[in-house]
Amino acid sequence: MKLVVIGCGYVGLVTGGCLAAARHEVVATDNDASKIATLQAGRIPIYEPHLDEVVAAARRAGRLRFTTDAGDAIRSGDVIFICVGTPPRATGEADLSAIDNVARLIAAEARSPKLVVEKSTVPAQTGQNLKRALNVYGHSSGLHFDVASNPEFLREGTAVGDFFHPDRIVVGVEGVEADRQLREVYEPIVEGRFECVLHPNGCPQSAKPEFLVTTIPSAELIKHASNSFLALKISYANVISDLCERLGGNVEEVTRAMGLDPRIGPQFLKAGLGFGGFCLPKDIQAFIHLAEQVGVDFSLLKEAERINRQRIERLMEKVRNHLWVVKDKQIALLGLAFKPFTDDIRLAPALEVIRRLQAEGAKLRATDPQAIERARAIFPDVIYNADPYEIARGADALLVLTEWPQFKQLDWSRIHREMARPLVLDTRNMLDPLTMKLQGFEYDSFGRPEANASVTAESSR
Ligand code: UGA
């Protein structure tokens, strides 16, 4: 099947690359000519594990090409995936101008009927507006445009695996033809007939993903409802973590036991610095805005968002408690990306931590396996070094802000020797409190009071 991807961000690239691995012919376009030039030169503009392999294999097989000629791309395919950005406006509402521009472009360039699929995260009712826009902009051509919603549930850092091995594929359609076309698009994924870069010797046996066909508004709502629920879970765990600190519990014991109940589930109950990135924070805001627009009280989500913002203040309280005066203290930051395995720092909690520490006069040095260059562009006055031991040298405190596995594997006794004061504030609960204490660190994390750490260790002996 011939497919078109408009927008070569991480969703567009993963969608295009993986669908080409599923033996479809894909043409991808973007209005950023430099991004297309980078892709044509065989480089990937973002860090996403395995994406380079998927894209390179698809291009070698002649099934994926990149072009700046959007008109040519649009004319070449039957199904067009819109993967452009929908960033938040100041009000929290999603900015849909890129979708509108793409609708105008498709209407102007198409010469045959198309199925236009929303893959960008959009508020409910966008499908309806998109369909109207396509027909208004394309009224002189007399062509018919079908619209569908196909929300993505990819997580940055594991996006390729998530695309190849999804739990569910959701398609919101209006008619049988769109249903048929999207079944054909996803059939190789559902049936496990694709070239999986993650499992070159064959994918492990697992249940087939559920292929869910819904109305377009339901599909749009599923996306926002899912991301907002994940955000709620995280904020809930963070409040439990605060309670643990006050009452002497250990948040990891509490959330582990909660998660063993299949009605709750273990994921997204990790307490710490809160959620960041360009999806959860922006989607929760857009969902709140949408609910307000239609007169539905969603204060529940507003509270989850407020709790999330408060996490930074909770960390700052810890910093002040331990350091007393923050001004002129040398603080080392381990991690800048909003989560491990990505170079994405958009709405990363680390950025707000940097702003707050700088406002209090701290001297900052930072490291991250992938995100240093992106952070340098925003905070040129922070000292960066790829070597964590260098940033620890002479530091009065070290803050763990992203739980990259390589940070866990550092020689912490060497970090101890490098630091002026061996104080570690682990905002991601990455390290073991008792081990850190035994190594001579002053150690603090979220929801794991030190006393509890020793009790846990005693009781597990
Ligand atoms: C999220 C969703 O998980 C995806 O399903 C969705 O497709 C994607 O948004 C999107 O809308 O495009 P992502 O933003 O890549 O994916 O990252 P998550 O793994 O959801 O993590 C988001 C934030 O929550 C990170 O800052 C992470 O550190 C934090 N988090 C996550 C916690 O603080 N605790 C947890 O238990 C889990």
Side-chain angles (χ1 to χ4, degrees):
M1 203 168 191
K2 292 189 174 174
L3 310 177
V4 181
V5 168
I6 302 184
C8 291
Y10 101 98
V11 173
L13 289 176
V14 173
T15 303
C18 293
L19 287 177
R23 302 195 178 281
H24 296 297
E25 253 179 65
V26 182
V27 180
T29 185
D30 196 291
N31 62 4
D32 179 346
S34 67
K35 193 183 276 183
I36 294 294
T38 304
L39 289 162
Q40 285 172 336
R43 293 190 307 275
I44 304 290
I46 50 166
Y47 173 74
E48 178 63 43
H50 303 293
L51 185 56
D52 49 352
E53 297 156 61
V54 174
V55 168
R59 291 185 77 213
R60 269 197 310 274
R63 288 197 297 264
L64 174 63
R65 70 182 171 91
F66 297 104
T67 177
T68 48
D69 186 344
D72 175 51
I74 288 163
R75 284 185 291 279
S76 71
D78 315 305
V79 180
I80 303 175
F81 288 93
I82 304 184
C83 302
V84 295
T86 51
R89 291 183 190 279
T91 53
E93 177 186 14
D95 179 350
L96 301 176
S97 53
I99 305 247
D100 185 40
N101 288 339
V102 169
R104 200 183 285 275
L105 194 65
I106 295 172
E109 300 289 349
R111 299 288 176 268
S112 57
K114 307 283 175 193
L115 172 62
V116 180
V117 186
E118 312 164 335
K119 203 133 188 59
S120 309
T121 300
V122 291
Q125 296 185 331
T126 302
Q128 191 176 302
N129 291 325
L130 175 61
K131 182 157 190 175
R132 197 170 43 222
L134 284 164
N135 289 317
V136 168
Y137 299 146
H139 69 98
S140 53
S141 69
L143 288 177
H144 173 74
F145 296 102
D146 230 349
V147 167
S149 165
N150 172 214
E152 56 81 15
F153 305 104
L154 311 176
R155 292 160 300 174
E156 288 187 34
T158 54
V160 170
D162 291 344
F163 197 98
F164 282 143
H165 303 292
D167 312 306
R168 80 282 209 203
I169 294 167
V170 174
V171 298
V173 294
E174 273 185 335
V176 285
E177 181 53 14
D179 179 348
R180 188 199 62 74
Q181 283 176 296
L182 286 168
R183 273 184 202 276
E184 191 178 330
V185 168
Y186 282 107
E187 201 237 12
I189 303 291
V190 174
E191 298 301 328
R193 281 190 283 98
F194 53 88
E195 291 157 18
C196 182
V197 292
L198 302 181
H199 309 106
N201 300 324
C203 302
Q205 285 291 328
S206 58
K208 279 186 190 178
E210 188 101 24
F211 189 84
L212 281 171
V213 182
T214 68
T215 64
I216 295 177
S218 290
E220 291 167 335
L221 278 166
I222 286 166
K223 171 68 191 204
H224 269 145
S226 301
N227 271 5
S228 298
F229 191 75
L230 293 173
L232 272 180
K233 265 188 114 174
I234 297 169
S235 283
Y236 188 86
N238 281 327
V239 177
I240 300 296
S241 152
D242 287 352
L243 277 174
C244 284
E245 287 190 10
R246 301 287 156 81
L247 302 173
N250 180 320
V251 72
E252 283 180 342
E253 293 174 346
V254 177
T255 52
R256 182 170 140 67
M258 285 169 61
L260 288 172
D261 181 335
R263 293 170 302 172
I264 297 175
Q267 296 196 48
F268 280 68
L269 285 176
K270 197 148 176 26
L273 196 52
F275 56 83
F278 213 52
C279 300
L280 264 46
K282 135 178 127 62
D283 288 358
I284 196 173
Q285 277 186 19
F287 213 29
I288 290 170
H289 193 273
L290 184 66
E292 261 166 15
Q293 260 184 338
V294 294
V296 172
D297 177 10
F298 219 156
S299 356
L300 178 67
L301 279 191
K302 285 189 192 160
E303 202 47 27
E305 200 202 13
R306 188 190 64 79
I307 291 163
N308 196 54
R309 272 186 272 115
Q310 240 185 12
R311 298 317 288 166
I312 307 288
E313 186 45 40
R314 292 286 295 108
L315 171 64
M316 292 305 294
E317 281 164 18
K318 283 179 187 284
V319 169
R320 285 185 218 107
N321 283 346
H322 287 280
L323 285 178
W324 179 37
V325 174
V326 177
K327 188 165 185 293
D328 292 334
K329 294 282 159 60
Q330 301 281 345
I331 301 185
L333 308 177
L334 277 196
L336 296 159
F338 83 99
K339 65 187 241 185
F341 304 108
T342 177
D343 60 353
D344 197 346
I345 56 167
R346 291 174 300 169
L347 303 182
L351 304 191
E352 192 53 25
V353 172
I354 293 176
R355 277 185 207 107
R356 297 289 297 272
L357 289 172
Q358 284 187 330
E360 298 208 17
K363 305 255 188 303
L364 303 179
R365 34 327 234 299
T367 190
D368 188 283
Q370 294 293 338
I372 288 180
E373 290 321 314
R374 291 187 194 273
R376 199 195 303 277
I378 304 177
F379 300 108
D381 41 355
V382 170
I383 295 170
Y384 299 93
N385 198 311
D387 183 348
Y389 301 105
E390 286 295 323
I391 69 138
R393 185 163 302 152
D396 297 299
L398 182 147
L399 272 52
V400 178
L401 300 178
T402 317
E403 67 280 32
W404 284 93
Q406 45 270 63
F407 291 160
K408 198 167 179 171
Q409 281 141 25
L410 288 172
D411 175 353
W412 282 90
S413 53
R414 182 170 161 205
I415 297 272
H416 187 284
R417 289 195 301 277
E418 297 287 0
M419 293 182 72
R421 174 179 170 184
L423 166 62
V424 171
L425 302 183
D426 177 2
T427 75
R428 295 293 180 183
N429 291 359
M430 179 185 81
L431 302 158
D432 176 53
L434 186 64
T435 313
M436 294 302 280
K437 216 173 138 190
L438 290 175
Q439 284 185 320
F441 283 98
E442 293 171 68
Y443 176 82
D444 199 353
S445 57
F446 279 112
R448 304 188 302 174
E450 269 179 286
N452 246 31
S454 25
V455 173
T456 310
E458 292 293 335
S459 57
S460 62
R461 269 184 205 135

